Amino acid sequence: MILIVDDKQENIYSLKKLLESKGFAVDTALSGEEGLKKVLNTDYALIILDVQMPVMDGFEVAETLSGFNKTKDIPIIFLSAVNTNNKFINKGYESGGIDYVVKPFDPEILLLKVNTFVKLYQQTKELQTAQQALRAEIDIRKRVQSELKERVEELQNTLEVLPLIAFTANEAGEIEFVNHNWFKYAKSADKFPETFENEVDIEKEWKIAFAKQESLELEVCIKELYSTKYKHHLLRIVPIWENQKLLKWIGTFTDIEDQKQIEKKKDEFLSITSHELKTPLTSVKAYIQLLSRSLREHESDQIKTYIEKAQLQVEKLNELISDLLDISKIESGELKLNKKDFDIKPMIESAVETIQQTHSDFELEIIGNEQPLIVNADESRIEQVLINYLTNALKYSPDHKSLRITRSVADGNVVVKVKDSGIGIPPEKHKNIFSKFYRVEESSLKFQGLGIGLYICAEIIKRHNGYVGVESVFGDGSEFCFAIPVK
């Protein structure tokens, strides 16, 4: 908008009509005082100011406006028919005007000047706005950088006092900080500690995890630089995100040597115990069978019930000892597989029949097992896995009486799934469900078990170059699967 300040109404009228005819928005004031009030309350792109006015002339108005930050940059054109000599023209420029036009004037020339000054003012305002935005952006970045620096220093101080090896890497995957414990195991800050006989290439595994932008977790054996003894460490490297942007990575090596030694002693104990229990258990089983035969003609129904219950409990103990022996064999690498070609169709049917003998009230639906399918595997071990899946499904579905078994082929593997409608597993527990001695807390008090069955299943399938998996919704059932290659 353009402001015309003149004490003569006829002058304002003619100039206003001229400017409005070219599309300019125009405001007017009949005195210097009125003009000042309007300029302080309204933004104008240009002021056309008459020099000769009573009380407060144009020069005084211009000098006053130049004293305010809000108005000092507004362009002013002086307009005069009386004060036309150089003395007044010079005073006009000194007062803050950018042009001095004398009457009579050429309307076209005035319009060109007005158009130029208005555009110049608008461009200046836009530039100032851009500069303000840039300054604000710079201030924000400085504040963010300062906050980030403080957070990084706080993180590094925290990592420095931790009793483990700790480091950070930037968004490009380059190690940028290591704590003092790092140098007990590594010669330089940019190289990972060496592993025992290079059994694990940490650098290679790190590059794979970095490319996928996924967390990395590895068990490695490393040693202090001036020691000959290697110790087990758990390496964890996790990405740190903020507003979906990767900021950095944080990694730690945690000493788990004591834990490994305890596990080793526990495995040795289980191995010895299970072997020692096997012999007397076999004798107990044999004596119960002899007792049953000797009392066959004389036994009462009550004695028969007692013997059946004793045989059932002995069989449960036998299965438990067999599982412990399997763990011992797995840990020592002595689990033998008798692989041969066999049809998986009758194997599934046999496992289902075995379960139905003891759970006749359950309905087991089989899907996709109509056609023969040959695999090369240890048939008894694969059946052991399926029976374990089915037994768990029955155990953890106390309020339901149906299971579904599905057989399919995908990516060269036969995939067998067991679906129940039981208690389900919380999602954060899925990753540990096949770990040794792991039990879900929500079910460990209600249901018996040692948490070794699924671990044995996973190890058996792993030795067949297959995989296991679970999908579950807490409170709405689970579906366990295993897959082994088709011949």
Side-chain angles (χ1 to χ4, degrees), residues 58-113:
F59 297 139
E60 292 177 294
V61 173
E63 289 172 354
T64 303
L65 292 175
S66 64
F68 294 99
N69 285 330
K70 182 177 183 292
T71 59
K72 66 180 182 178
D73 294 323
I74 302 176
I76 297 174
I77 298 178
F78 285 107
L79 204 59
S80 179
V82 179
N83 304 312
T84 60
N85 60 45
N86 289 338
K87 174 185 175 182
F88 290 101
I89 293 174
N90 290 336
K91 187 175 181 181
Y93 284 114
E94 291 171 356
S95 301
I98 60 170
D99 203 354
Y100 197 104
V101 178
V102 296
K103 299 178 182 178
F105 57 81
D106 186 335
E108 294 297 327
I109 298 295
L110 180 63
L111 287 172
L112 285 173
K113 290 184 176 184

Side-chain angles (χ1 to χ4, degrees), residues 159-291:
L159 295 179
E160 196 64 60
V161 299
L162 291 178
L164 41 77
I165 305 169
F167 64 95
T168 64
N170 59 25
E171 67 275 11
E174 301 164 342
I175 296 176
E176 59 181 4
F177 168 81
V178 296
N179 70 350
H180 68 281
N181 291 318
W182 175 280
F183 294 104
K184 296 178 182 179
Y185 292 82
K187 296 179 181 178
S188 64
D190 58 348
K191 296 292 183 182
F192 285 105
E194 294 183 3
T195 58
F196 177 68
E197 295 182 352
N198 294 319
E199 61 179 357
V200 178
D201 190 338
I202 299 178
E203 187 73 31
K204 179 181 177 182
E205 296 296 332
W206 159 232
K207 287 180 179 179
I208 294 173
F210 174 77
K212 296 180 179 180
Q213 295 192 342
E214 294 177 348
S215 299
L216 174 65
E217 186 169 308
L218 288 174
E219 284 191 14
V220 297
C221 285
I222 58 177
K223 70 177 182 68
E224 294 187 28
L225 292 176
Y226 304 106
S227 172
T228 58
K229 183 180 179 182
Y230 284 86
K231 294 183 178 180
H232 288 86
H233 284 72
L234 179 63
L235 168 62
R236 288 194 184 99
I237 307 178
V238 296
I240 304 300
W241 300 86
E242 186 172 283
N243 298 325
Q244 299 182 337
K245 181 181 178 182
L246 179 62
L247 293 182
K248 62 173 64 264
W249 299 75
I250 298 178
T252 57
F253 288 85
T254 304
D255 189 337
I256 57 172
E257 180 65 23
D258 291 343
Q259 178 183 336
K260 282 292 182 180
Q261 293 302 322
I262 292 172
E263 287 182 2
K264 183 179 178 181
K265 286 180 170 52
K266 181 174 64 177
D267 291 337
E268 290 173 353
F269 171 77
L270 290 176
S271 176
I272 295 170
T273 303
S274 55
H275 279 92
E276 292 298 322
L277 287 174
K278 192 72 173 177
T279 301
L281 180 66
T282 302
S283 298
V284 170
K285 190 174 182 180
Y287 282 124
I288 290 176
Q289 289 175 347
L290 289 173
L291 180 63

Side-chain angles (χ1 to χ4, degrees), residues 283-307:
S283 298
V284 170
K285 190 174 182 180
Y287 282 124
I288 290 176
Q289 289 175 347
L290 289 173
L291 180 63
S292 177
R293 290 172 185 172
S294 64
L295 297 176
R296 185 174 298 167
E297 296 179 0
H298 308 287
E299 66 188 19
S300 65
D301 290 341
Q302 188 176 20
I303 293 176
K304 181 179 179 181
T305 301
Y306 290 158
I307 292 176

Side-chain angles (χ1 to χ4, degrees), residues 355-397:
I355 293 297
Q356 286 182 324
Q357 287 177 357
T358 53
H359 299 81
S360 57
D361 56 335
F362 266 81
E363 178 183 346
L364 277 73
E365 178 186 10
I366 305 176
I367 300 174
N369 197 46
E370 296 82 8
Q371 301 298 324
L373 184 65
I374 305 300
V375 296
N376 183 266
D378 187 324
E379 184 173 3
S380 64
R381 290 295 187 181
I382 299 302
E383 186 173 1
Q384 176 185 346
V385 172
L386 180 54
I387 289 176
N388 187 283
Y389 276 16
L390 292 170
T391 303
N392 279 354
L394 294 171
K395 181 196 297 185
Y396 295 107
S397 303

